[in-house]
Amino acid sequence: MKPFMITALGLGMMLVAAGTARANLTAPPPAADTPVNFSFSFGAERMEGDTTYRIGYPVTLPSGVVLEGYFPISELEWPLDIWLARVEGSMVLYKKIRVNGMVKKDLSDPEDNMIDSDWLTPRNPSRLDVYSESNISDFQALIVDASIDWIFFRSDVVSLYAGLGFLYQDFEYEAKLIRQHSPSGLPGFAVEGDGRVAITYDITYTIPYARIGTELRLSPRFLLAGSFAFSPFAEAEDTDRHLLRENGGKVAEGDMDGDAFMFDVSGKFNFTPSVHVKAGFHYVKIDVDGTQTQVYATGQPLGTVTQESESSQSSGYVMLGFDF
């Protein structure tokens, strides 16, 4: 198990223990029963995962001829083992409607390398012919999540809600080749990196979603929450620039759609009616497909290939917050 996962789970169990131990103690006086309540929190998040795309047949040439064949021809795995700053806030109206917003921004570059794999032999499409790794020299990430919930059931212990939301994710990479070789022994593919940026990659996911969730008050101070969201309308656009190719480099732009799901589990412990700490686990899975259009940097078209992209993101987070 990853260290950040152990940390998040350990903090969660500590919160549960603290909340249970204090269940019979005198609770802090409740906040004023106002028609509008606000909550704001900030903290850090550790993400593990990747965003990976594959291309292959069918291929449409600039002439319009369609070539059939195998899939994939090529795969690029971009790492997402990063630290993020996380800020979130919510507003509850008359205990029925809750408006939520969250922004996350990168605090570190990925530690793992980008992996590029190619299968170039039609008579043996499962044989790996070219393999390379590149270190991430520059990285930027921005994640924005906005949602609105309807709390349709509420008691002293349990509340249930349903809502709609929109998730935006943008990941931008620059990478320098470390080494490329041919595991199958094809000649002409042995290349050592020379320190130049060899490839850049930018992918944007836009995901409208519906979700359901629950909150369980285990003690006056401790709240356990969980939610599940799904989207059949996930979209992705990406741009891959191979800077060192012939004719000034190759530019590939993808346009994809598909589905996504995500879930979140968290524990919140109030030290006072206004100050709390929260720890949780968040998971996102995105699976989209479509086409990728390739051109040389000089403008010469190369054709269109079939493309698939998927991303798995597991995160643990800890936050300090304020209720008012």
Side-chain angles (χ1 to χ4, degrees):
M1 183 177 290
K2 298 291 186 180
F4 85 94
M5 294 295 296
I6 296 174
T7 301
L9 291 173
L11 285 168
M13 288 188 290
M14 289 171 63
L15 288 173
V16 172
T20 303
R22 295 172 178 264
N24 295 321
L25 299 180
T26 301
D33 190 10
T34 59
V36 181
N37 298 104
F38 298 90
S39 181
F40 171 80
S41 56
F42 62 92
E45 177 175 325
R46 175 64 181 183
M47 178 184 291
E48 297 282 351
D50 62 82
T51 181
T52 297
Y53 85 78
R54 304 174 186 89
I55 58 171
Y57 292 95
V59 173
T60 303
L61 301 179
S63 63
V65 175
V66 178
L67 305 178
E68 300 293 339
Y70 58 95
F71 190 95
I73 298 172
S74 182
E75 175 186 273
L76 281 77
E77 180 181 327
W78 296 89
L80 284 173
D81 54 323
I82 55 174
W83 285 97
L84 296 156
R86 175 181 175 126
V87 178
E88 63 181 49
S90 66
M91 176 179 65
V92 180
L93 305 173
Y94 299 97
K95 298 184 178 181
K96 284 292 185 181
I97 302 298
R98 180 170 55 213
V99 181
N100 312 286
M102 178 175 60
V103 177
K104 296 188 279 190
K105 190 72 177 71
D106 59 285
L107 293 174
S108 68
D109 293 343
E111 300 167 4
D112 293 340
N113 296 328
M114 185 274 284
I115 298 174
D116 188 348
S117 305
D118 298 319
W119 297 265
L120 305 178
T121 308
R123 67 178 183 276
N124 188 6
S126 63
R127 187 182 75 179
L128 179 61
D129 290 314
V130 183
Y131 177 89
S132 69
E133 293 193 19
S134 301
N135 75 289
I136 308 302
S137 56
D138 190 45
F139 174 79
Q140 295 185 52
L142 175 64
I143 300 173
V144 180
D145 193 348
S147 61
I148 184 168
D149 299 321
W150 170 46
I151 306 170
F152 59 86
F153 175 81
R154 181 191 291 272
S155 72
D156 292 339
V157 178
V158 179
S159 64
L160 303 173
Y161 64 87
L164 299 173
F166 184 82
L167 175 64
Y168 170 90
Q169 296 186 331
D170 182 65
F171 303 116
E172 300 180 14
Y173 298 84
E174 291 185 0
K176 299 178 180 180
L177 177 67
I178 300 173
R179 181 174 180 267
Q180 175 182 283
H181 71 287
S182 174
S184 63
L186 294 180
F189 289 100
V191 180
E192 297 290 333
D194 59 6
R196 291 182 294 170
V197 174
I199 184 173
T200 68
Y201 184 63
D202 180 4
I203 185 164
T204 300
Y205 293 109
T206 52
I207 306 171
Y209 62 83
R211 72 172 177 177
I212 57 173
T214 184
E215 294 178 343
L216 178 63
R217 184 161 293 283
L218 299 180
S219 81
R221 293 176 182 265
F222 182 69
L223 184 71
L224 183 65
S227 65
F228 176 83
F230 177 74
S231 173
F233 306 114
E235 296 185 355
E237 294 182 353
D238 68 348
T239 302
D240 178 316
R241 292 182 173 88
H242 281 67
L243 303 177
L244 305 182
R245 292 286 183 88
E246 65 277 8
N247 297 316
K250 187 177 76 170
V251 180
E253 296 184 338
D255 187 2
M256 297 162 282
D257 56 60
D259 52 51
F261 72 87
M262 63 197 88
F263 64 84
D264 188 276
V265 179
S266 65
K268 175 184 174 183
F269 180 75
N270 274 83
F271 296 107
T272 73
S274 301
V275 180
H276 69 261
V277 63
K278 183 166 76 169
F281 172 78
H282 186 70
Y283 179 77
V284 179
K285 177 67 175 181
I286 307 168
D287 194 351
V288 293
D289 59 65
T291 58
Q292 182 188 83
T293 301
Q294 300 183 356
V295 298
Y296 281 124
T298 56
Q300 178 185 349
L302 294 170
T304 301
V305 300
T306 301
Q307 182 177 8
E308 295 180 355
S309 180
E310 64 179 12
S311 182
S312 298
Q313 305 163 20
S314 301
S315 299
Y317 58 90
V318 179
M319 309 185 74
L320 177 66
F322 305 90
D323 302 312
F324 48 95

